[in-house]
Amino acid sequence: MSNQPLIKVEGLRKLYPIDGGVFRKASTFNHAVDGLNFEIGHGESLGLVGESGCGKSTTGKMLVKLFEPSEGSVKLQVGDSYINVSNIDRNSRKDFRRNVQMIFQDPYESMNPRMTIFDIVGEPLAVQGIGTINEREERVAEFLEMVGLTPASSFMFRYPHELSGGQRQRVAIARALVIEPAFVVADEPTSMLDVSIRTGVMKLMQDLGQRLNVTYLYITHDLAVARYMCDRIAVMYLGKIVEIGPTEELLSNPRHPYTKALLSAVPIPDPRIKRDPVMIEGGISKAIDPKPQCRFYARCPIRDDHCKTNPHPTLEMKGSGMQVACYKVPAEG
Ligand code: ADP
Ligand code: MG
């Protein structure tokens, strides 16, 4: 297909008001997502990692238009051109829904408990007006088999509460993929599942993704999961991407002090990857009206005065395809 990216994110921000009430305009804001710029190529899987509260879900929800950005844009390639997700008209709304789906952490919350599995998985087809009811039944059955719910006939007319957590997440995957979307945001899809079945569900998403040429934004707080699922990883810290690049390079040679700290906190079983433990001090947990300085300043082990008195650094190429937002990391090559 084309060499152009499928998704283009430009200057994306989401500010949540903190002190606004019914009668008062907010003057204080939580900068939950604070100026993201990235692209995702066709068929690529980009991981979005970072601690709880750093803005991953808010970002994912803006990409699928569940939340509107405060500023900036998300663009999706449809055919030869891009549609701006924030201002789509009625015609492109259908194109958008046809191409973009989301898989949530808790599949039960995202399913109507009164709908059968057939209705849940078949709904996107019905909404798009694809096929007759018989054709839809055939297609749903095919996708249930693909996600390992076999024989499909024994699941079609059951209800979500009759299934296990793992089976429900498989239903959610079938539902997201049944219209063969170009782009899927998966928000911690395995973190609520029993450890013993996580790998199976990840493998399923990967296999089906490849088979159907799906592009993923894969959200996780777990670097080992991102390593398994993703071609590239973006590390987020309090609303900012601090480092982004190819998975193996990022994990074996992290440049940003926050990425180093994250990696030293979780053992990744690979003898090729050697790390020194890094100490990070506790910092703020929300970027509320943040000062114009590096967002990581309070916790950074290599900070200096320059980082304190200058605005948060922009992402810059530092070598080997890595973009890093840090004044102290030297450019390479
Ligand atoms: P993550 O998914 O990385 O844990 P979130 O995107 O859920 O992060 O949250 C980012 C920040 O935005 C947090 O400080 C959180 O408290 C805040 N936040 C998230 N959702 C809302 C919301 N609907 N209203 C107000 N604040 C929110
Ligand atoms: Mg989240």
Side-chain angles (χ1 to χ4, degrees), residues 203-222:
K203 191 162 182 351
L204 177 71
M205 290 186 59
Q206 198 175 50
D207 290 348
L208 285 182
Q210 269 165 17
R211 197 156 135 197
L212 304 171
N213 194 31
V214 173
T215 300
Y216 282 117
L217 179 75
Y218 198 98
I219 296 174
T220 175
H221 62 272
D222 186 337

Side-chain angles (χ1 to χ4, degrees), residues 56-57 187-188 219:
K56 305 182 296 298
S57 294
D187 191 353
E188 310 245 15
I219 296 174

Side-chain angles (χ1 to χ4, degrees), residues 50-52 54 223 235-238 242 255-266 276-285 294-303 326:
E51 290 163 296
S52 178
C54 71
L223 277 165
V235 177
M236 261 186 107
Y237 183 78
L238 288 180
V242 296
R255 287 145 171 98
H256 196 283
Y258 179 62
T259 314
K260 290 184 184 183
L262 270 186
L263 272 161
S264 70
V266 281
D276 304 319
V278 177
M279 291 297 294
I280 47 170
E281 299 163 33
I284 47 167
S285 61
C294 176
R295 192 69 47 100
F296 189 55
Y297 182 77
R299 289 169 80 180
C300 185
I302 58 168
R303 67 190 172 196
C326 178

Side-chain angles (χ1 to χ4, degrees), residues 295-324:
R295 192 69 47 100
F296 189 55
Y297 182 77
R299 289 169 80 180
C300 185
I302 58 168
R303 67 190 172 196
D304 65 15
D305 271 354
H306 186 78
C307 314
K308 185 180 188 174
T309 53
N310 282 278
H312 183 84
T314 53
L315 280 170
E316 276 169 28
M317 272 298 178
K318 301 285 182 173
S320 306
M322 298 300 305
Q323 284 178 279
V324 187

